[in-house]
């Protein structure tokens, strides 16, 4: 049984597990290291004794459990940069392998151990362990850079700054395409092409740099089971028929796209927190999550007490890790979102979780007395989430065949709109279509209203009836 040593950890020897039975085989200090807060005077030392007949593995497992209990709680995490793997902190290969045997693989794992624990697991002296702590701390600390250095880096390799969408008018507005090193969100009602856009850019990321691609692999996290390999091949073959002119090239492209189906918030967060080594080993140049809202809405009912805070915490942690990966490896991260409907009486309805036929009734609303109420359809996940993404693109309905793409939020582009259709080759812009009817609803991208299916249908039917209507003025329809 573990016992607290009254005289502090410094007076307890730490023999090797290979020593005879009944001896002290490990010491664990419970408390935070001096890099996080000053060592407490009352810090307790726990000892682990190997009992007669007890295997060494059992002792090591007990030590591992106590090590976990001695670390900083998750709510006091050192930040997303501390998730960097120790292999990238320029530690020796032998030391990294030794630490990994004790489940110490990230900078955070390393920094959350006491000096006494680090001396035990590394087999190094107090002075050497202090040098290791400084080295790991510098490796995961945010590095200062000037605006001039950022400009030089992007100028030296322009292809690494953006992923071209091949939608030329959109790329021009965005100064090159989907920005690398940041989060881009695609929001729309069902059926507007969120997944089509994600599949299309997956193909683009695998293309050679000379063709506007990133010449790398793609990690595609599918939470809705909506990904289609057949559609991927169809888009590739129709969008770039000259390049994908053989089955071998198509096969090579499909092997570069790594699909994960994660259906819970926990599995999604675990997946993205384990991506760092995979990004390096597989030369990943694009991360896609389709969609974030799907798993969040299934698990968190915001009407229940405490769920809203838990949901916000999950979204904040996920966004923090994804931003770290995007910035650290200079790759684009694309996320898809859903829509929600807010009525004037304060009722909020998940518009994309009902049948499309109800879209119009949701957007207009109806009181018990039959009086119509106004409402608006906006991006889901709330205002706080809208600040987590750097770029927000909204896809919405325009008429029966045409849809509209809005640049609702971007650090480099003004509010813009483009008409598009969905073809065999993916999204295709309709550059010649008149956009004079576009209106900008407010200044907050989180509140930008989105046109749903039946609203667009109603507007189309009203426009078609205008020539046959004499002396009548059609009533105004809500532009959602």
């Amino acid at each position: 049984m573990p016992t607290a040593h009254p005289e502090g950890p410094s007076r307890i020897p730490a023999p090797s597990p290979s020593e005879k039975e009944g001896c002290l085989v490990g010491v664990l200090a419970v408390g935070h290291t001096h890099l996080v807060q000053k060592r407490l005077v009352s810090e307790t030392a726990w000892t682990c004794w190997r009992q007669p007949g007890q295997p060494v593995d059992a002792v090591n497992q007990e030590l591992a459990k106590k090590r976990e209990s001695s670390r900083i709680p998750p709510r006091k995490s050192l930040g997303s940069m501390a998730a960097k793997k120790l292999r990238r902190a320029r530690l020796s290969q032998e030391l990294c392998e030794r630490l990994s045997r004790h489940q110490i693989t990230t900078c955070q794992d390393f920094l959350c151990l006491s000096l006494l624990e680090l001396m035990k697991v590394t087999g190094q002296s107090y002075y050497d362990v202090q040098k290791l702590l400084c080295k790991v701390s510098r490796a995961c600390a945010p590095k200062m850079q000037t605006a001039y250095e950022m400009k030089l880096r992007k100028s030296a390799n322009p292809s690494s700054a953006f992923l071209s969408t091949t939608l030329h008018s959109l790329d021009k507005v965005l100064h090159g395409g989907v920005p690398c090193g940041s989060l881009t969100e695609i929001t729309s009602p069902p059926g507007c092409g969120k997944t089509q856009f994600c599949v299309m850019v997956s193909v683009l990321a695998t293309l050679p740099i000379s063709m506007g691609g990133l010449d790398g692999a793609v990690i595609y996290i599918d939470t809705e089971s909506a990904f289609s390999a057949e559609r991927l091949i169809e888009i590739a073959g129709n969008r770039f028929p000259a390049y994908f002119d053989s089955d071998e090239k198509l096969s090579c492209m499909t092997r570069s796209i790594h699909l994960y189906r994660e259906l819970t918030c926990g599995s999604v967060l675990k997946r993205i927190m384990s991506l760092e080594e995979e990004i390096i080993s597989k030369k990943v140049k694009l991360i896609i999550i389709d969609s974030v809202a799907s798993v969040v809405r299934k698990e968190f009912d915001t009407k229940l007490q405490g769920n809203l805070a838990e949901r916000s915490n999950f979204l904040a942690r996920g966004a923090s890790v994804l931003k770290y990966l995007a910035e650290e490896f200079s790759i684009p991260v694309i996320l898809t979102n859903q829509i929600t409907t807010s009525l004037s009486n304060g009722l909020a309805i998940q518009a994309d979780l009902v049948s499309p036929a109800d879209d119009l009734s949701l957007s207009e609303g109806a009181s018990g007395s039959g009086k119509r109420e106004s409402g608006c359809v906006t991006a889901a996940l709330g205002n706080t989430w809208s600040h987590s993404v750097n770029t927000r693109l909204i896809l919405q309905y325009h008429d029966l065949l045409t849809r509209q793409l809005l640049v609702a939020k971007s650090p480099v582009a003004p509010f813009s709109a483009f008409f598009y259709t969905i073809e065999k080759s993916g999204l295709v812009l309709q550059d010649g279509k008149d956009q004079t009817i576009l209106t900008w609803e407010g200044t907050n991208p989180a509140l930008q209203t989105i046109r749903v299916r039946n609203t667009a249908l109603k507007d189309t039917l009203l426009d078609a009836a205008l020539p046959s209507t004499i002396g009548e003025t059609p009533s105004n329809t809500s532009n959602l």
Side-chain angles (χ1 to χ4, degrees), residues 306-326:
N307 269 12
L308 184 59
E310 288 186 28
R311 187 182 84 163
S312 299
N313 180 56
F314 165 77
L315 291 172
R317 289 181 64 192
S320 177
V321 175
L322 290 171
K323 281 191 174 182
Y324 160 71
L325 294 174

Side-chain angles (χ1 to χ4, degrees), residues 20-96:
K20 64 181 182 179
E21 295 177 348
C23 70
L24 181 69
V25 296
V27 179
L28 290 173
V30 179
H32 303 331
T33 71
H34 68 286
L35 294 177
V36 181
Q37 68 178 43
K38 293 182 178 178
R39 184 182 297 278
L40 302 176
V41 177
S42 60
E43 185 180 60
T44 307
W46 294 93
T47 63
C48 233
W49 292 85
R50 181 181 176 193
Q51 302 299 328
Q54 184 180 18
V56 175
D57 289 345
V59 179
N60 288 338
Q61 290 177 5
E62 189 174 352
L63 285 170
K65 291 179 182 179
K66 294 182 181 301
R67 184 189 307 112
E68 288 294 331
S69 66
S70 71
R71 292 179 182 172
I72 302 173
R75 58 186 176 85
K76 294 185 179 179
S77 172
L78 298 180
S80 57
M81 292 198 72
K84 177 182 288 188
K85 298 295 182 181
L86 284 172
R87 297 181 186 276
R88 301 184 58 233
R90 298 184 179 180
L91 300 186
S92 68
Q93 182 71 17
E94 180 183 357
L95 180 58
C96 288

Side-chain angles (χ1 to χ4, degrees), residues 340-344 362-363 374-378 447-450 480:
T340 188
T341 302
S342 298
L343 303 181
S344 59
L362 283 174
S363 61
S374 62
C376 62
V377 179
T378 61
L447 302 179
Q448 171 64 34
T449 56
I450 302 172
L480 297 182

